[in-house]
Amino acid sequence: GGTLLGVVPNEDHAAARGGGDGVGPDGGGEGEDARLLDALCETLRATSLPDTAEDGLDALQTVLEELGQSFSEADVRTVIDTLAVLSGGDDGDAVDRSSRQWSAVSSSAFQNLKLIHDDFLESDSNSESTRDAIIDCCLAFGRARHDINTSLTATGMLWSLADRDPSRSTVDAVLSRLAELTRDGRAEVRNCSVNTLFSCVVGLGGRFVDEQWCVCLRDTMFGILDRITRAINDGGTDSDARSNAAAAGDDRYKVNVHHSRNSATKQWAATQVLVLKGLERVLRIFFDRLLRSDEDADDPSWLLPVWKNILGVAFDCATVTGEREALDMRLAGVELL
């Protein structure tokens, strides 16, 4: 037995580890260490007190630094899931951690995530569930609105995970989470996500199979463009971005915006320009590859509709009417054509 921060260890978690498996440098107290880690993480997930969470995260960082190398995968997933809850970007949790009082907790939790990401993850030994857990944790911190730099760094970590493990399942998962972040109400986060997504496609596209290209172009990229178009038509806020766009009005989230980008609609239009430029970049590099895949495929029908859609989007943007702020979009449309 034993207690940590006044919480009795959860015996179900310990039993799920199979008894003796878990943290511990020598095996003598591994079962006890695993139960204490479970208790610590359970406390962190359950507490509604920011001070308690901060103290617990300090303790967790000490445990990671001293025993992290001997963690089992179950231990690592338990910690990662706990950090996601404390990010402030996990909307499904019972405790609301999006308020200012939880800002320091989110920052401390992210430091723990970076420690795991930098020191304890090896692509050749992680299971799919561990990989998915850290990808979802990065997404949670990307969504969190406590600190813009944390969100941007978490977005970059997604790209590093795909670069470290360029398997199809990992790359598909990373692109999916980056696409989710492109709907963020904060222009800096969604623009960073757009640029990161296209950098990932350009960097790893040479490994893509035909089905990946189909999903990437038809579903992911046009899905992003559709959401941006809805946001522009709705005056700068689509239904998925309303909550974090409203939160962006908080003093914590204010950034200096150039006068030519000082409305939500203009900022979404600037994001659309980035997508057009990214799409043009992808086609410039992989166009021949896409043509060959269409010729060799058993069902080549996917590329023609995608190609028609690309031409339609490019033409619409190249001929868009408007004042000077529409110039960038017209130029991006012309370049894509």
Side-chain angles (χ1 to χ4, degrees):
T3 61
L4 187 61
L5 296 176
V7 174
V8 178
N10 188 322
E11 298 296 335
D12 291 339
H13 286 176
R17 299 172 187 276
D21 294 334
V23 294
D26 53 19
E30 287 183 353
E32 179 70 9
D33 288 337
R35 286 192 294 271
L36 291 175
L37 179 65
D38 281 335
L40 174 58
C41 290
E42 183 179 346
T43 300
L44 288 168
R45 292 191 297 269
T47 185
S48 60
L49 302 174
D51 289 344
T52 300
E54 285 190 63
D55 291 341
L57 285 167
D58 288 342
L60 179 60
Q61 183 166 348
T62 299
V63 172
L64 285 171
E65 291 171 346
E66 294 182 357
L67 301 175
Q69 294 291 352
S70 61
F71 273 18
S72 68
E73 280 214 65
D75 296 327
V76 174
R77 287 196 300 273
T78 296
V79 172
I80 292 173
D81 290 342
T82 300
L83 298 177
V85 169
L86 297 174
S87 66
D90 186 354
D91 298 332
D93 193 70
V95 179
D96 181 9
R97 298 182 176 86
S98 63
S99 63
R100 187 189 303 272
Q101 289 78 8
W102 287 90
S103 181
V105 173
S106 178
S107 177
S108 180
F110 190 60
Q111 294 305 312
N112 279 273
L113 176 63
K114 287 172 62 179
L115 181 62
I116 294 173
H117 173 272
D118 295 341
D119 294 347
F120 304 136
L121 291 181
E122 298 178 4
S123 61
D124 58 349
S125 62
N126 294 325
S127 68
E128 185 173 324
S129 59
T130 299
R131 178 207 66 200
D132 288 345
I134 194 166
I135 288 175
D136 285 336
C137 191
C138 289
L139 173 63
F141 278 101
R143 286 173 169 169
R145 295 178 286 277
H146 289 297
D147 178 68
I148 192 74
N149 290 322
T150 294
S151 295
L152 298 178
T153 303
T155 301
M157 288 169 65
L158 284 170
W159 164 222
S160 72
L161 289 169
D163 189 47
R164 183 183 301 181
D165 175 20
S167 63
R168 177 179 176 180
S169 57
T170 296
V171 173
D172 289 350
V174 165
L175 292 180
S176 172
R177 303 324 188 271
L178 287 171
E180 290 189 45
L181 289 173
T182 63
R183 68 181 66 183
D184 198 280
R186 298 162 295 174
E188 297 80 12
V189 174
R190 66 171 179 269
N191 290 347
C192 176
S193 302
V194 166
N195 287 330
T196 303
L197 185 149
F198 280 106
S199 293
C200 187
V201 173
V202 168
L204 301 175
R207 300 171 177 263
F208 283 13
V209 298
D210 294 349
E211 184 180 355
Q212 279 179 287
W213 277 117
C214 177
V215 172
C216 179
L217 292 172
R218 185 188 63 193
D219 300 335
T220 302
M221 295 184 185
F222 277 100
I224 293 170
L225 283 170
D226 287 343
R227 287 194 297 271
I228 293 173
T229 300
R230 289 199 302 269
I232 293 174
N233 293 337
D234 290 343
T237 308
D238 82 338
S239 58
D240 295 314
R242 281 196 174 95
S243 61
N244 55 25
D250 191 295
D251 288 342
R252 288 174 292 161
Y253 316 123
K254 286 184 177 177
V255 295
N256 292 323
V257 179
H258 191 271
H259 65 87
S260 65
R261 300 281 192 270
N262 61 359
S263 76
T265 300
K266 290 179 181 179
Q267 291 175 30
W268 277 99
T271 302
Q272 186 176 31
V273 170
L274 289 179
V275 176
L276 296 174
K277 290 182 176 180
L279 187 54
E280 184 267 337
R281 182 183 174 198
V282 168
L283 293 177
R284 191 179 297 277
I285 295 173
F286 294 108
F287 186 69
D288 289 342
R289 161 70 177 83
L290 291 171
L291 288 180
R292 288 197 303 272
S293 69
D294 191 51
E295 292 171 354
D296 297 339
D298 294 332
D299 180 15
S301 59
W302 71 269
L303 183 57
L304 182 58
V306 167
W307 181 241
K308 288 181 178 179
N309 284 337
I310 292 173
L311 291 176
V313 168
F315 180 80
D316 289 343
C317 291
T319 58
V320 68
T321 58
E323 300 179 359
R324 185 175 181 82
E325 66 270 12
L327 178 59
D328 288 344
M329 189 176 297
R330 289 197 293 268
L331 291 176
V334 170
E335 291 175 0
L336 183 54
L337 283 173

